[in-house]
mmCIF file of all heavy atoms in Angstrom:
data_model
loop_
_atom_site.group_PDB
_atom_site.id
_atom_site.type_symbol
_atom_site.label_atom_id
_atom_site.label_comp_id
_atom_site.label_asym_id
_atom_site.label_seq_id
_atom_site.Cartn_x
_atom_site.Cartn_y
_atom_site.Cartn_z
ATOM 1 N N LEU A 805 12.750 -113.709 -55.759
ATOM 2 C CA LEU A 805 12.237 -112.311 -55.675
ATOM 3 C C LEU A 805 10.700 -112.287 -55.649
ATOM 4 O O LEU A 805 10.089 -111.571 -54.842
ATOM 5 C CB LEU A 805 12.747 -111.468 -56.852
ATOM 6 C CG LEU A 805 14.208 -111.046 -56.781
ATOM 7 C CD1 LEU A 805 14.673 -110.499 -58.136
ATOM 8 C CD2 LEU A 805 14.449 -109.989 -55.681
ATOM 9 N N ALA A 806 10.077 -113.064 -56.537
ATOM 10 C CA ALA A 806 8.619 -113.123 -56.540
ATOM 11 C C ALA A 806 8.068 -113.690 -55.288
ATOM 12 O O ALA A 806 6.945 -113.266 -54.813
ATOM 13 C CB ALA A 806 8.158 -113.942 -57.779
ATOM 14 N N ASP A 807 8.765 -114.635 -54.648
ATOM 15 C CA ASP A 807 8.312 -115.244 -53.405
ATOM 16 C C ASP A 807 8.275 -114.316 -52.212
ATOM 17 O O ASP A 807 7.679 -114.595 -51.176
ATOM 18 C CB ASP A 807 9.132 -116.487 -53.103
ATOM 19 C CG ASP A 807 8.831 -117.654 -53.995
ATOM 20 O OD1 ASP A 807 7.783 -117.604 -54.682
ATOM 21 O OD2 ASP A 807 9.630 -118.607 -54.033
ATOM 22 N N LEU A 808 8.946 -113.156 -52.385
ATOM 23 C CA LEU A 808 8.968 -112.168 -51.306
ATOM 24 C C LEU A 808 7.524 -111.626 -51.018
ATOM 25 O O LEU A 808 7.275 -111.165 -49.932
ATOM 26 C CB LEU A 808 9.886 -110.998 -51.645
ATOM 27 C CG LEU A 808 11.392 -111.262 -51.669
ATOM 28 C CD1 LEU A 808 12.111 -110.034 -52.097
ATOM 29 C CD2 LEU A 808 11.836 -111.708 -50.280
ATOM 30 N N SER A 809 6.626 -111.809 -52.008
ATOM 31 C CA SER A 809 5.252 -111.357 -51.788
ATOM 32 C C SER A 809 4.553 -112.122 -50.690
ATOM 33 O O SER A 809 3.635 -111.628 -50.061
ATOM 34 C CB SER A 809 4.453 -111.459 -53.098
ATOM 35 O OG SER A 809 4.307 -112.809 -53.470
ATOM 36 N N THR A 810 5.015 -113.353 -50.459
ATOM 37 C CA THR A 810 4.371 -114.179 -49.434
ATOM 38 C C THR A 810 5.328 -114.430 -48.224
ATOM 39 O O THR A 810 5.066 -115.267 -47.422
ATOM 40 C CB THR A 810 3.969 -115.532 -50.002
ATOM 41 O OG1 THR A 810 5.103 -116.177 -50.604
ATOM 42 C CG2 THR A 810 2.864 -115.317 -51.089
ATOM 43 N N THR A 811 6.419 -113.696 -48.232
ATOM 44 C CA THR A 811 7.393 -113.858 -47.130
ATOM 45 C C THR A 811 7.211 -112.753 -46.096
ATOM 46 O O THR A 811 6.874 -111.586 -46.465
ATOM 47 C CB THR A 811 8.787 -113.773 -47.685
ATOM 48 O OG1 THR A 811 8.988 -114.772 -48.728
ATOM 49 C CG2 THR A 811 9.835 -113.982 -46.600
ATOM 50 N N ASN A 812 7.388 -113.116 -44.831
ATOM 51 C CA ASN A 812 7.275 -112.098 -43.772
ATOM 52 C C ASN A 812 8.532 -111.206 -43.749
ATOM 53 O O ASN A 812 9.537 -111.605 -43.236
ATOM 54 C CB ASN A 812 7.124 -112.818 -42.390
ATOM 55 C CG ASN A 812 5.794 -113.552 -42.302
ATOM 56 O OD1 ASN A 812 4.856 -113.278 -42.995
ATOM 57 N ND2 ASN A 812 5.772 -114.506 -41.391
ATOM 58 N N VAL A 813 8.381 -110.071 -44.423
ATOM 59 C CA VAL A 813 9.547 -109.203 -44.547
ATOM 60 C C VAL A 813 9.399 -107.920 -43.648
ATOM 61 O O VAL A 813 10.371 -107.220 -43.446
ATOM 62 C CB VAL A 813 9.748 -108.720 -45.988
ATOM 63 C CG1 VAL A 813 10.092 -109.909 -46.889
ATOM 64 C CG2 VAL A 813 8.550 -107.961 -46.512
ATOM 65 N N VAL A 814 8.190 -107.705 -43.102
ATOM 66 C CA VAL A 814 7.934 -106.583 -42.193
ATOM 67 C C VAL A 814 7.650 -107.123 -40.805
ATOM 68 O O VAL A 814 6.457 -107.353 -40.455
ATOM 69 C CB VAL A 814 6.800 -105.672 -42.668
ATOM 70 C CG1 VAL A 814 6.857 -104.316 -41.899
ATOM 71 C CG2 VAL A 814 6.916 -105.413 -44.178
ATOM 72 N N GLY A 815 8.660 -107.490 -40.057
ATOM 73 C CA GLY A 815 8.449 -108.186 -38.815
ATOM 74 C C GLY A 815 7.823 -109.561 -39.063
ATOM 75 O O GLY A 815 8.418 -110.339 -39.797
ATOM 76 N N SER A 816 6.711 -109.812 -38.532
ATOM 77 C CA SER A 816 6.018 -111.107 -38.673
ATOM 78 C C SER A 816 4.952 -111.043 -39.721
ATOM 79 O O SER A 816 4.088 -111.913 -39.753
ATOM 80 C CB SER A 816 5.448 -111.568 -37.333
ATOM 81 O OG SER A 816 4.480 -110.639 -36.849
ATOM 82 N N GLN A 817 4.969 -110.069 -40.598
ATOM 83 C CA GLN A 817 3.889 -109.902 -41.597
ATOM 84 C C GLN A 817 4.474 -109.753 -42.995
ATOM 85 O O GLN A 817 5.624 -109.277 -43.174
ATOM 86 C CB GLN A 817 3.066 -108.632 -41.289
ATOM 87 C CG GLN A 817 2.233 -108.724 -39.989
ATOM 88 C CD GLN A 817 1.441 -107.475 -39.790
ATOM 89 O OE1 GLN A 817 1.984 -106.421 -39.441
ATOM 90 N NE2 GLN A 817 0.162 -107.540 -39.962
ATOM 91 N N THR A 818 3.694 -110.155 -44.002
ATOM 92 C CA THR A 818 4.028 -109.887 -45.368
ATOM 93 C C THR A 818 3.755 -108.409 -45.644
ATOM 94 O O THR A 818 3.162 -107.718 -44.876
ATOM 95 C CB THR A 818 3.199 -110.758 -46.304
ATOM 96 O OG1 THR A 818 1.786 -110.358 -46.176
ATOM 97 C CG2 THR A 818 3.313 -112.224 -46.001
ATOM 98 N N THR A 819 4.252 -107.983 -46.811
ATOM 99 C CA THR A 819 4.058 -106.552 -47.140
ATOM 100 C C THR A 819 2.597 -106.238 -47.273
ATOM 101 O O THR A 819 2.137 -105.212 -46.784
ATOM 102 C CB THR A 819 4.764 -106.225 -48.491
ATOM 103 O OG1 THR A 819 4.366 -107.172 -49.507
ATOM 104 C CG2 THR A 819 6.271 -106.284 -48.345
ATOM 105 N N THR A 820 1.850 -107.065 -47.936
ATOM 106 C CA THR A 820 0.400 -106.801 -48.098
ATOM 107 C C THR A 820 -0.354 -106.951 -46.778
ATOM 108 O O THR A 820 -1.290 -106.229 -46.494
ATOM 109 C CB THR A 820 -0.223 -107.753 -49.171
ATOM 110 O OG1 THR A 820 0.052 -109.077 -48.851
ATOM 111 C CG2 THR A 820 0.323 -107.401 -50.544
ATOM 112 N N GLY A 821 0.100 -107.897 -45.936
ATOM 113 C CA GLY A 821 -0.505 -108.049 -44.620
ATOM 114 C C GLY A 821 -0.293 -106.862 -43.762
ATOM 115 O O GLY A 821 -1.161 -106.394 -43.023
ATOM 116 N N PHE A 822 0.965 -106.341 -43.801
ATOM 117 C CA PHE A 822 1.272 -105.141 -42.964
ATOM 118 C C PHE A 822 0.492 -103.944 -43.480
ATOM 119 O O PHE A 822 -0.058 -103.165 -42.668
ATOM 120 C CB PHE A 822 2.769 -104.875 -43.070
ATOM 121 C CG PHE A 822 3.275 -103.694 -42.246
ATOM 122 C CD1 PHE A 822 3.589 -103.875 -40.930
ATOM 123 C CD2 PHE A 822 3.278 -102.399 -42.764
ATOM 124 C CE1 PHE A 822 4.015 -102.809 -40.154
ATOM 125 C CE2 PHE A 822 3.676 -101.346 -42.020
ATOM 126 C CZ PHE A 822 4.040 -101.502 -40.677
ATOM 127 N N LEU A 823 0.409 -103.767 -44.809
ATOM 128 C CA LEU A 823 -0.306 -102.666 -45.384
ATOM 129 C C LEU A 823 -1.783 -102.748 -45.006
ATOM 130 O O LEU A 823 -2.439 -101.750 -44.674
ATOM 131 C CB LEU A 823 -0.144 -102.653 -46.901
ATOM 132 C CG LEU A 823 -0.920 -101.498 -47.601
ATOM 133 C CD1 LEU A 823 -0.479 -100.104 -47.203
ATOM 134 C CD2 LEU A 823 -0.767 -101.647 -49.164
ATOM 135 N N ALA A 824 -2.367 -103.959 -45.051
ATOM 136 C CA ALA A 824 -3.726 -104.150 -44.686
ATOM 137 C C ALA A 824 -3.980 -103.750 -43.205
ATOM 138 O O ALA A 824 -4.961 -103.059 -42.896
ATOM 139 C CB ALA A 824 -4.179 -105.584 -44.906
ATOM 140 N N SER A 825 -3.079 -104.143 -42.305
ATOM 141 C CA SER A 825 -3.187 -103.818 -40.908
ATOM 142 C C SER A 825 -3.101 -102.291 -40.690
ATOM 143 O O SER A 825 -3.808 -101.712 -39.954
ATOM 144 C CB SER A 825 -2.115 -104.541 -40.081
ATOM 145 O OG SER A 825 -2.280 -105.922 -40.145
ATOM 146 N N PHE A 826 -2.165 -101.716 -41.437
ATOM 147 C CA PHE A 826 -1.940 -100.251 -41.353
ATOM 148 C C PHE A 826 -3.192 -99.475 -41.789
ATOM 149 O O PHE A 826 -3.660 -98.589 -41.095
ATOM 150 C CB PHE A 826 -0.720 -99.844 -42.178
ATOM 151 C CG PHE A 826 -0.601 -98.411 -42.422
ATOM 152 C CD1 PHE A 826 -0.380 -97.519 -41.330
ATOM 153 C CD2 PHE A 826 -0.650 -97.857 -43.683
ATOM 154 C CE1 PHE A 826 -0.269 -96.145 -41.540
ATOM 155 C CE2 PHE A 826 -0.504 -96.484 -43.916
ATOM 156 C CZ PHE A 826 -0.311 -95.674 -42.839
ATOM 157 N N LEU A 827 -3.712 -99.881 -42.940
ATOM 158 C CA LEU A 827 -4.905 -99.148 -43.486
ATOM 159 C C LEU A 827 -6.092 -99.410 -42.568
ATOM 160 O O LEU A 827 -6.972 -98.541 -42.404
ATOM 161 C CB LEU A 827 -5.165 -99.629 -44.872
ATOM 162 C CG LEU A 827 -4.096 -99.258 -45.922
ATOM 163 C CD1 LEU A 827 -4.557 -99.649 -47.325
ATOM 164 C CD2 LEU A 827 -3.819 -97.741 -45.902
ATOM 165 N N ASP A 828 -6.199 -100.640 -42.029
ATOM 166 C CA ASP A 828 -7.291 -100.916 -41.088
ATOM 167 C C ASP A 828 -7.209 -99.990 -39.901
ATOM 168 O O ASP A 828 -8.233 -99.530 -39.351
ATOM 169 C CB ASP A 828 -7.264 -102.366 -40.684
ATOM 170 C CG ASP A 828 -8.462 -102.778 -39.837
ATOM 171 O OD1 ASP A 828 -9.583 -102.643 -40.312
ATOM 172 O OD2 ASP A 828 -8.231 -103.188 -38.669
ATOM 173 N N GLN A 829 -5.973 -99.766 -39.405
ATOM 174 C CA GLN A 829 -5.794 -98.878 -38.246
ATOM 175 C C GLN A 829 -6.223 -97.474 -38.535
ATOM 176 O O GLN A 829 -6.868 -96.794 -37.798
ATOM 177 C CB GLN A 829 -4.345 -98.918 -37.783
ATOM 178 C CG GLN A 829 -4.064 -98.096 -36.500
ATOM 179 C CD GLN A 829 -4.829 -98.639 -35.312
ATOM 180 O OE1 GLN A 829 -4.678 -99.814 -34.994
ATOM 181 N NE2 GLN A 829 -5.618 -97.830 -34.682
ATOM 182 N N VAL A 830 -5.793 -96.988 -39.745
ATOM 183 C CA VAL A 830 -6.177 -95.623 -40.182
ATOM 184 C C VAL A 830 -7.682 -95.497 -40.216
ATOM 185 O O VAL A 830 -8.283 -94.556 -39.703
ATOM 186 C CB VAL A 830 -5.537 -95.304 -41.510
ATOM 187 C CG1 VAL A 830 -6.103 -93.961 -42.107
ATOM 188 C CG2 VAL A 830 -4.037 -95.206 -41.368
ATOM 189 N N GLY A 831 -8.345 -96.478 -40.894
ATOM 190 C CA GLY A 831 -9.780 -96.449 -41.022
ATOM 191 C C GLY A 831 -10.483 -96.552 -39.664
ATOM 192 O O GLY A 831 -11.481 -95.871 -39.433
#
Side-chain angles (χ1 to χ4, degrees):
L805 285 167
D807 286 345
L808 290 176
S809 64
T810 57
T811 303
N812 294 338
V813 297
V814 193
S816 60
Q817 294 179 289
T818 65
T819 53
T820 54
F822 183 88
L823 179 61
S825 297
F826 168 63
L827 296 183
D828 184 61
Q829 184 64 56
V830 171

